Structures are given as C-alpha cells and as structure tokens.
Amino acid sequence: RDGRSSFILQGHDSSSGSSASTTPGTSSPRTPASAEEMCSPLIGFLKGPCCGAYRCGTGVAVVALLVNLVFLAGQLYSLIAWDSAVEHHMQEYRFETNRGRARQDWGICIADMLWQLPLTLVAFFGLMGRFPFAYSVAMMALSLEVYWPIINAAQRWGHASVAELVALLIFVSGLAFLGILGLAANRDDLHKPRAGYDPIAAMT
C-alpha cells in the first residue's frame, strides 16, 4: 500500500508540474494591479510641488479649509440675522412657524461657532505657516468637513436641487476627503518644523 501511494503522489506531482509549466512563446497570466499601483498617479499628484515649499496635497487641504470657512461664515451670519438667513436659503425653518426645528438648527450653529470654526481657523493658518501642530488639527477639521455635508444632503434629499446636492457631496465633502489624502501623503513633510521655528522658544 505504501509503494502504491508513493507512486500516486509522484504521478500527481509530475502532472501538476507539467500543467503549471507554460509552453514556449506564450505569455504568463498578468497579475492584477495592487491598490498602491492603482493609486500611484493620485499619490504622485498630491506629493508634487504646488507653490514654493507647499505640495499639492497641502494646497488641496488649504482650499478645502477655506471652503469650509465660507460655510461657517454663513452659520455665523445665521446667528446674527436668522430671518435674513432663511430668506437667503441659508437656513430652512423660522422660529414662528417651526420652532422645534429652528432651535435645533440654531443649536448646530452655536456648536459650529464654539468648536468647528476655531478648529478650522487654527488648521488653516497652521498649514499656511507650516506649524508642526497643523497636521493633526487639519485632520480633525477636514474630518468634520467630510461629515456635515453628508448629513445636510441627507436632510435635504428630495426637496433640494441636484446642483445643491452635488455641491455638498462633491465640492465640499469630496474636496475635504481629498485634502485628508493630501495631508496623509505629505505627513513626513508636514511633521518637519518650518524654517526658523524653535518649539522650545515657542513654549517659553
């Protein structure tokens, strides 16, 4: 029985080896491209030079933060003149007609002013000045910018125009996500302190 089994195993190995070998003149099957190879053009763009010491990925993040500052300015204007913001379609509900939803949106504006606006300002000027803390703060600010347009688009789905939904999901949320990828691609460069910056002297 042992001899027969060893003969069968040897025959199986030889047959598998012959089937694995390719005939001369034929090309071997092409292996699928990895995720890194597929994303290499995008990563190369994000790591490319933009202007001066800044790279394209950092520039995309700065533009995304600037777009978010425009929307946050609208939130600040809503707190100052709520009825005017409703007339300009910056807010949806009036306190006279729908007090519950209006107070909910008003509370979101307050939260944006207390947390998202300072965080975005610190991230924006931190990246412009190439401060060492800018990478972490910008990551937090851009994560919020990816999140809130999706919530806003879901709330407006069905009664908002297609252009408005595309602007929220592509030009705001999508740009912020691309900014996150840009910061991640240039994290080694962003972690370096800017020229002339002394962290010991800054803390004293």
Side-chain angles (χ1 to χ4, degrees):
R1 184 188 304 174
D2 295 339
R4 184 184 304 175
S5 60
S6 61
F7 175 77
I8 294 175
L9 289 175
Q10 291 175 1
H12 176 72
D13 294 339
S14 62
S15 61
S16 60
S18 61
S19 61
S21 61
T22 56
T23 57
T26 60
S27 59
S28 59
R30 184 179 180 182
T31 58
S34 62
E36 184 178 356
E37 293 175 349
M38 295 175 62
C39 298
S40 58
L42 177 61
I43 296 176
F45 164 74
L46 294 175
K47 287 187 174 182
C50 181
C51 56
Y54 298 96
R55 297 185 180 181
C56 290
T58 307
V60 171
V62 169
V63 172
L65 291 171
L66 186 61
V67 170
N68 200 33
L69 286 174
V70 173
F71 281 91
L72 289 173
Q75 294 286 77
L76 178 61
Y77 177 78
S78 299
L79 290 176
I80 299 173
W82 189 268
D83 292 336
S84 177
V86 174
E87 293 176 0
H88 290 87
H89 303 284
M90 300 169 65
Q91 301 293 336
E92 294 188 57
Y93 304 101
R94 297 180 182 271
F95 283 93
E96 295 81 5
T97 57
N98 198 331
R99 186 175 182 82
R101 292 298 300 271
R103 287 189 65 85
Q104 180 181 0
D105 293 343
W106 184 81
I108 293 175
C109 291
I110 291 291
D112 288 341
M113 295 302 102
L114 293 178
W115 177 246
Q116 190 173 180
L117 179 60
L119 193 69
T120 305
L121 286 173
V122 172
F124 178 78
F125 289 106
L127 287 179
M128 294 295 294
R130 295 179 59 84
F131 289 99
F133 61 83
Y135 173 81
S136 301
V137 180
M139 278 292 192
M140 290 188 289
L142 291 174
S143 297
L144 291 174
E145 191 178 352
V146 171
Y147 171 77
W148 72 258
I150 298 175
I151 296 296
N152 203 316
Q155 292 175 345
R156 297 170 181 263
W157 197 273
H159 59 87
S161 62
V162 177
E164 184 178 358
L165 296 177
V166 169
L168 286 172
L169 296 176
I170 303 299
F171 294 105
V172 182
S173 184
L175 185 63
F177 182 73
L178 188 61
I180 292 176
L181 295 180
L183 292 180
N186 298 291
R187 60 187 180 275
D188 295 334
D189 180 67
L190 291 171
H191 283 155
K192 299 177 182 177
R194 63 186 176 92
Y197 177 80
D198 187 0
I200 304 300
M203 292 185 294
T204 57

